[in-house]
């Protein structure tokens, strides 16, 4: 006979009640049937599990060993069954029980995960980071992610080849991160043309640091004299040292000593979007995730009151005009 979980339940019931008769009643079995089952279990394990007399049933040393293992295995298996049931039902319920969110970066994903955790404390939430929106879209289309949160420069739109649905969270005017004693940091916005002689730092990826940025500089009458593409931490170090300035999202949390200012006229725009596959379970909860993402955006934008003030002159930007989407 192979030992099964139901056999461990029998051993635990006898130990807990201290009696084969009481254990049989607890398990809904006849006492002779339970006695016969216990004997088969003991033959399988190679010795008696209980000492039985008029005072009841007490575990032997072998019985204590079996009980110590059973008290670990049985709750673990119950947890596995419960979790499997939740996951199996996630495709038909209005709420998913697992969320896999990929993001290029920025503060929206943190606020989104926080709100989702508050709304569904038992949900499994994982995140995946990438510099490239196409990678996130590919993984979402393949079912490896449920949602992709990505950014797109200017009027660019996500590729249609992946078959995803994309909705806009917000549209931002791109900002410039610079030392707070920089002459251009004194007002609420910077003039791109006045930055023609500086070096520029930025993170990798397919964002504003390629064609959009070069085109905006050309419209302002200059070609950037130096572009330093590196990781975000190194780019910030360059800004702090005065070596370069850096393009950044307006809700970027600026380190002490640095100022984050929008560019006059909003020549560079950054569109925050959320994507999912229309035939996936994610499609059913996407409106709720979109609302959470927009709330997260508004919360982070409020950290930059100068930017919020600046937005009043640019009604085409921000999130409010998208509230009915």
């Amino acid at each position: 006979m192979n030992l099964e979980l139901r056999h461990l339940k029998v051993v635990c019931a006898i130990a807990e009640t201290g009696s084969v008769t009481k254990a049989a009643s607890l398990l809904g079995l006849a006492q002779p049937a339970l006695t016969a089952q216990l004997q088969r279990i003991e033959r399988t394990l190679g010795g008696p599990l209980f000492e039985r007399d008029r005072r009841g049933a007490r575990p032997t040393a072998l019985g204590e060993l079996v009980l110590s293992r059973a008290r670990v295995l049985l709750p673990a298996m119950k947890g596995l069954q419960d979790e499997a049931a939740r996951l199996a039902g996630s495709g038909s319920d209005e709420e998913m029980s697992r969320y896999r969110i990929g993001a290029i970066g920025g503060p929206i994903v943190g606020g989104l995960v926080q709100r989702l955790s508050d709304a569904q404390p038992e949900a499994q939430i994982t995140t995946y980071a990438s510099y490239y929106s196409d990678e996130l879209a590919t993984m979402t289309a393949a079912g490896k992610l449920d949602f992709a949160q990505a950014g797109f420069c200017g009027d660019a739109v996500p590729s249609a080849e992946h078959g995803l649905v994309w909705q806009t969270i917000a549209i931002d005017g791109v900002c410039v991160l610079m030392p707070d004693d920089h002459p251009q940091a004194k007002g609420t916005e910077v003039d791109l043309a006045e930055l023609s002689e500086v070096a520029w730092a930025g993170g990798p990826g397919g964002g504003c640091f390629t064609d959009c940025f070069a085109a905006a500089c050309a419209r302002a009458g200059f070609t950037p004299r130096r572009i330093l593409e590196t990781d975000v931490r190194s780019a910030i170090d360059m800004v702090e040292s005065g070596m370069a300035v850096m393009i950044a999202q307006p809700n970027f949390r600026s380190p002490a000593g640095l100022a984050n200012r929008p560019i006059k006229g909003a020549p560079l725009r950054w569109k925050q979007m959320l994507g999912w596959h229309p035939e996936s379970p994610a499609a059913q909860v996407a409106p709720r995730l979109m609302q959470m993402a927009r709330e997260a955006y508004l919360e982070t934008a409020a950290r930059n009151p100068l930017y919020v003030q600046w937005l009043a002159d640019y009604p085409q930007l921000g999130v409010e005009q998208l509230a009915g989407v």
Side-chain angles (χ1 to χ4, degrees):
M1 182 185 79
N2 293 323
L3 195 65
E4 301 176 10
L5 289 177
R6 61 188 178 92
H7 299 140
L8 297 180
K9 292 177 181 178
V10 166
V11 175
C12 287
I14 296 172
E16 290 167 5
T17 61
S19 163
V20 174
T21 301
K22 291 178 181 178
S25 176
L26 178 66
L27 296 171
L29 298 173
Q31 189 270 334
L34 186 61
T35 298
Q37 190 169 121
L38 175 60
Q39 291 171 347
R40 289 194 295 273
I41 295 170
E42 289 177 328
R43 285 197 298 271
T44 299
L45 293 173
L49 302 182
F50 296 94
E51 295 177 355
R52 299 167 60 192
D53 54 29
R54 287 180 299 175
R55 290 178 296 173
R58 298 178 302 281
T60 63
L62 177 58
E64 291 288 1
L65 174 64
V66 174
L67 284 167
S68 68
R69 300 294 192 272
R71 286 165 179 158
V72 173
L73 290 172
L74 291 175
M77 288 304 297
K78 178 64 166 59
L80 174 60
Q81 290 169 340
D82 291 345
E83 190 64 29
R86 285 196 295 270
L87 287 176
S90 64
S92 57
D93 293 342
E94 290 185 2
E95 282 193 344
M96 294 168 57
S97 60
R98 178 184 65 173
Y99 296 84
R100 300 163 298 172
I101 302 171
I104 283 183
I108 288 179
V109 68
L112 172 59
V113 169
Q114 179 62 56
R115 285 165 171 76
L116 190 53
S117 299
D118 291 343
Q120 289 183 247
E122 301 301 320
Q124 291 185 349
I125 304 172
T126 57
T127 57
Y128 176 82
S130 173
Y131 285 125
Y132 300 98
S133 59
D134 191 63
E135 179 188 8
L136 297 179
T138 299
M139 294 178 68
T140 304
K144 297 178 180 179
L145 292 173
D146 300 302
F147 292 95
Q149 198 270 294
F152 299 89
C153 189
D155 296 321
V157 294
S159 171
E161 69 174 291
H162 302 291
L164 302 186
V165 172
W166 290 91
Q167 285 191 7
T168 301
I169 300 168
I171 302 173
D172 272 323
V174 173
C175 296
V176 179
L177 188 69
M178 59 184 65
D180 56 14
D181 59 357
H182 191 284
Q184 285 287 310
K186 299 185 183 304
T188 58
E189 62 182 8
V190 300
D191 187 340
L192 188 60
E194 296 297 322
L195 297 173
S196 59
E197 298 301 318
V198 304
W200 293 84
C208 284
F209 222 36
T210 52
D211 297 342
C212 291
F213 177 68
C217 292
R219 290 194 297 270
F222 71 96
T223 299
R225 69 180 183 86
R226 179 179 295 174
I227 294 177
L228 305 167
E229 188 175 281
T230 182
D231 64 277
V232 174
R233 181 62 257 180
S234 295
I236 292 173
D237 288 342
M238 293 177 183
V239 176
E240 290 177 328
S241 70
M243 181 189 306
V245 298
M246 172 184 170
I247 57 174
Q249 296 178 34
N251 43 17
F252 178 77
R253 200 185 292 268
S254 304
L258 300 184
N260 198 20
R261 298 287 184 268
I263 304 173
K264 181 179 179 180
L268 288 170
R269 288 170 288 115
W270 188 246
K271 187 170 11 182
Q272 302 275 7
M273 304 190 77
L274 188 70
W276 61 88
H277 196 282
E279 297 178 1
S280 70
Q284 302 300 314
V285 299
R288 189 160 60 93
L289 268 289
M290 280 296 304
Q291 182 61 32
M292 291 180 181
R294 286 169 177 159
E295 290 173 358
Y297 168 83
L298 290 172
E299 180 181 57
T300 58
R303 298 171 188 163
N304 189 342
L306 284 177
Y307 179 73
V308 175
Q309 175 185 339
W310 179 84
L311 272 180
D313 294 328
Y314 297 88
Q316 74 275 23
L317 303 178
V319 72
E320 293 300 330
Q321 79 279 9
L322 301 166
V325 175

